[in-house]
Amino acid sequence: MHKLFQMIAALIAAVTATFAPHEQATPTRGAAAHVVVAPPPAPPELARELRAAGEGFNGRVGIAIRDVQSGWTAEFNGDELFPQQSVSKLWVALATFDDIDHGRARLDEPVVMRREDLSVFHQPIRGRIDSDGYETTVDELLTYALAKSDNAANDFLMRKTGGGQAVQDVIRNKGLGKIRAGTEERLLQAKIAGMTWRPEYGIDWGFQYARAELPDAYRKAKLDEYVADPDDGAAPTAIVAALARLKKGQLLSRPSTDRMLEILSETVTGRSRLRSGLPDGWTIAHKTGTGQELGARVTGWNDVGLLTAPDGRTYAVAVMIADTTAPAGQCNALFQKVARLVADFHDKRFAEQQQTQNDTGEAAEKAA
């Protein structure tokens, strides 16, 4: 009888190892330090499927999947630096919420955006800025920057929090690892094209018209420089680790954590990326990024976020395409495939766990 129960206990431990928590929360200031246990290795079958997905894509890609509760990470090229593009808006928002937590800003704080605050490319807030400016709040700018990926809103918040270096300081102080904050979108995008930012570029299609005058060979050389050593580069493994800590409330206060995750769950960009690969019942809080194109070449095509199963288990996922000539449909198919890998893995492991628990219960009843 005793041996039977030992066998049952061992079986339960073996099946649930992947789902057991292995990381301690970061202690608060002044609290006693906890021993941090190394996370378990990534499930081998998921790691193999992830590698196959990465190797089968026509382009340079980095992928990372992290089980938020257990702490394991599966990755492909996960420790290399990839251009973030608008994914870097995450860290500007993080720095802004950090300011709020420390009393340096408020969500309801009134601010005024003016025409000189305009940026480049996607900036839907532009239509609200007239000759008198646009009166708004920090909270609305966060929503524009994260959920709508508005470059002007992001740049305004970055300047408000102290600039790119201030955001980088927050990344360093919170121990987020291989993540570069970069600079304002308008400055970064101008540099990628080999240009110097001018205020008139923010009006209508001014930037695009000026960029079109540049020789393709010159633009290619500048784009090559950026992709090789991106000012806003980040490692997929560092991103998923940061997202996991955000989800667990280890980076911000609870109100700030909840609000940031709420905004990310309202993201309207990238509908054909990770979100499109999830089964019914799953939810996603995510941030996309899309870089500049040159001919058939696409750079910085990304989607990162928190994927939550119907049972509440959450996985942090980052899919980052640094450089490719694959058409949009193939890029989106990769995002969708990774999302399906996560969901299929979760459903399979959950089914195995449930079956083991059922078998254990039946064995215990027979033993009794």
Side-chain angles (χ1 to χ4, degrees), residues 305-321:
L306 294 161
L307 282 55
T308 302
D311 64 4
R313 194 166 198 88
T314 300
Y315 301 86
V317 177
V319 182
M320 308 183 75
I321 301 172

mmCIF file of all heavy atoms in Angstrom, residues 305-321:
data_model
loop_
_atom_site.group_PDB
_atom_site.id
_atom_site.type_symbol
_atom_site.label_atom_id
_atom_site.label_comp_id
_atom_site.label_asym_id
_atom_site.label_seq_id
_atom_site.Cartn_x
_atom_site.Cartn_y
_atom_site.Cartn_z
ATOM 1 N N GLY A 305 4.008 39.660 -26.530
ATOM 2 C CA GLY A 305 2.886 39.850 -25.619
ATOM 3 C C GLY A 305 2.683 38.701 -24.663
ATOM 4 O O GLY A 305 3.481 37.757 -24.588
ATOM 5 N N LEU A 306 1.593 38.782 -23.930
ATOM 6 C CA LEU A 306 1.194 37.797 -22.940
ATOM 7 C C LEU A 306 -0.039 37.062 -23.450
ATOM 8 O O LEU A 306 -1.090 37.677 -23.661
ATOM 9 C CB LEU A 306 0.904 38.482 -21.601
ATOM 10 C CG LEU A 306 2.126 39.116 -20.922
ATOM 11 C CD1 LEU A 306 1.698 40.150 -19.890
ATOM 12 C CD2 LEU A 306 2.987 38.038 -20.268
ATOM 13 N N LEU A 307 0.097 35.756 -23.657
ATOM 14 C CA LEU A 307 -0.984 34.925 -24.157
ATOM 15 C C LEU A 307 -1.540 34.116 -22.988
ATOM 16 O O LEU A 307 -0.790 33.368 -22.343
ATOM 17 C CB LEU A 307 -0.477 33.979 -25.245
ATOM 18 C CG LEU A 307 -0.243 34.547 -26.654
ATOM 19 C CD1 LEU A 307 0.688 35.750 -26.632
ATOM 20 C CD2 LEU A 307 0.305 33.466 -27.579
ATOM 21 N N THR A 308 -2.821 34.266 -22.708
ATOM 22 C CA THR A 308 -3.432 33.622 -21.546
ATOM 23 C C THR A 308 -4.493 32.620 -21.967
ATOM 24 O O THR A 308 -5.411 32.946 -22.721
ATOM 25 C CB THR A 308 -4.042 34.677 -20.599
ATOM 26 O OG1 THR A 308 -3.015 35.585 -20.192
ATOM 27 C CG2 THR A 308 -4.631 34.010 -19.363
ATOM 28 N N ALA A 309 -4.337 31.399 -21.467
ATOM 29 C CA ALA A 309 -5.268 30.311 -21.776
ATOM 30 C C ALA A 309 -6.563 30.481 -20.994
ATOM 31 O O ALA A 309 -6.620 31.232 -20.013
ATOM 32 C CB ALA A 309 -4.613 28.978 -21.435
ATOM 33 N N PRO A 310 -7.611 29.783 -21.398
ATOM 34 C CA PRO A 310 -8.884 29.879 -20.675
ATOM 35 C C PRO A 310 -8.775 29.513 -19.198
ATOM 36 O O PRO A 310 -9.559 30.004 -18.382
ATOM 37 C CB PRO A 310 -9.775 28.881 -21.423
ATOM 38 C CG PRO A 310 -9.226 28.857 -22.811
ATOM 39 C CD PRO A 310 -7.748 28.985 -22.642
ATOM 40 N N ASP A 311 -7.791 28.659 -18.839
ATOM 41 C CA ASP A 311 -7.635 28.273 -17.432
ATOM 42 C C ASP A 311 -6.796 29.267 -16.636
ATOM 43 O O ASP A 311 -6.545 29.069 -15.449
ATOM 44 C CB ASP A 311 -7.035 26.872 -17.311
ATOM 45 C CG ASP A 311 -5.606 26.786 -17.865
ATOM 46 O OD1 ASP A 311 -5.060 27.827 -18.280
ATOM 47 O OD2 ASP A 311 -5.039 25.673 -17.880
ATOM 48 N N GLY A 312 -6.335 30.344 -17.298
ATOM 49 C CA GLY A 312 -5.593 31.387 -16.600
ATOM 50 C C GLY A 312 -4.091 31.302 -16.717
ATOM 51 O O GLY A 312 -3.389 32.234 -16.303
ATOM 52 N N ARG A 313 -3.564 30.211 -17.252
ATOM 53 C CA ARG A 313 -2.108 30.103 -17.389
ATOM 54 C C ARG A 313 -1.640 31.027 -18.507
ATOM 55 O O ARG A 313 -2.248 31.103 -19.575
ATOM 56 C CB ARG A 313 -1.697 28.671 -17.678
ATOM 57 C CG ARG A 313 -0.191 28.466 -17.479
ATOM 58 C CD ARG A 313 0.184 27.010 -17.422
ATOM 59 N NE ARG A 313 1.510 26.852 -16.815
ATOM 60 C CZ ARG A 313 1.731 26.723 -15.521
ATOM 61 N NH1 ARG A 313 0.709 26.724 -14.683
ATOM 62 N NH2 ARG A 313 2.953 26.596 -15.047
ATOM 63 N N THR A 314 -0.515 31.726 -18.255
ATOM 64 C CA THR A 314 -0.044 32.756 -19.179
ATOM 65 C C THR A 314 1.352 32.441 -19.698
ATOM 66 O O THR A 314 2.227 31.980 -18.948
ATOM 67 C CB THR A 314 -0.034 34.130 -18.493
ATOM 68 O OG1 THR A 314 -1.371 34.454 -18.075
ATOM 69 C CG2 THR A 314 0.455 35.218 -19.437
ATOM 70 N N TYR A 315 1.552 32.722 -20.979
ATOM 71 C CA TYR A 315 2.853 32.551 -21.624
ATOM 72 C C TYR A 315 3.272 33.894 -22.233
ATOM 73 O O TYR A 315 2.481 34.545 -22.918
ATOM 74 C CB TYR A 315 2.773 31.495 -22.728
ATOM 75 C CG TYR A 315 2.330 30.134 -22.238
ATOM 76 C CD1 TYR A 315 0.971 29.822 -22.130
ATOM 77 C CD2 TYR A 315 3.262 29.170 -21.861
ATOM 78 C CE1 TYR A 315 0.562 28.578 -21.669
ATOM 79 C CE2 TYR A 315 2.857 27.923 -21.402
ATOM 80 C CZ TYR A 315 1.505 27.636 -21.303
ATOM 81 O OH TYR A 315 1.099 26.410 -20.841
ATOM 82 N N ALA A 316 4.503 34.299 -21.951
ATOM 83 C CA ALA A 316 5.065 35.488 -22.589
ATOM 84 C C ALA A 316 5.723 35.051 -23.892
ATOM 85 O O ALA A 316 6.505 34.084 -23.904
ATOM 86 C CB ALA A 316 6.086 36.158 -21.674
ATOM 87 N N VAL A 317 5.408 35.736 -24.975
ATOM 88 C CA VAL A 317 5.870 35.317 -26.300
ATOM 89 C C VAL A 317 6.458 36.513 -27.040
ATOM 90 O O VAL A 317 5.906 37.625 -26.985
ATOM 91 C CB VAL A 317 4.710 34.717 -27.121
ATOM 92 C CG1 VAL A 317 5.176 34.351 -28.531
ATOM 93 C CG2 VAL A 317 4.131 33.498 -26.418
ATOM 94 N N ALA A 318 7.562 36.293 -27.727
ATOM 95 C CA ALA A 318 8.159 37.324 -28.583
ATOM 96 C C ALA A 318 8.550 36.680 -29.906
ATOM 97 O O ALA A 318 9.289 35.690 -29.923
ATOM 98 C CB ALA A 318 9.380 37.943 -27.924
ATOM 99 N N VAL A 319 8.033 37.226 -30.987
ATOM 100 C CA VAL A 319 8.428 36.813 -32.335
ATOM 101 C C VAL A 319 8.950 38.063 -33.031
ATOM 102 O O VAL A 319 8.201 39.033 -33.206
ATOM 103 C CB VAL A 319 7.250 36.214 -33.123
ATOM 104 C CG1 VAL A 319 7.719 35.759 -34.508
ATOM 105 C CG2 VAL A 319 6.635 35.040 -32.365
ATOM 106 N N MET A 320 10.226 38.033 -33.428
ATOM 107 C CA MET A 320 10.871 39.229 -33.960
ATOM 108 C C MET A 320 11.586 38.891 -35.269
ATOM 109 O O MET A 320 12.517 38.069 -35.291
ATOM 110 C CB MET A 320 11.849 39.799 -32.930
ATOM 111 C CG MET A 320 11.217 40.016 -31.554
ATOM 112 S SD MET A 320 12.332 40.756 -30.339
ATOM 113 C CE MET A 320 12.354 42.469 -30.919
ATOM 114 N N ILE A 321 11.125 39.515 -36.341
ATOM 115 C CA ILE A 321 11.730 39.322 -37.657
ATOM 116 C C ILE A 321 12.627 40.521 -37.932
ATOM 117 O O ILE A 321 12.141 41.634 -38.148
ATOM 118 C CB ILE A 321 10.656 39.182 -38.746
ATOM 119 C CG1 ILE A 321 9.739 37.984 -38.435
ATOM 120 C CG2 ILE A 321 11.303 39.029 -40.120
ATOM 121 C CD1 ILE A 321 8.539 37.886 -39.359
#
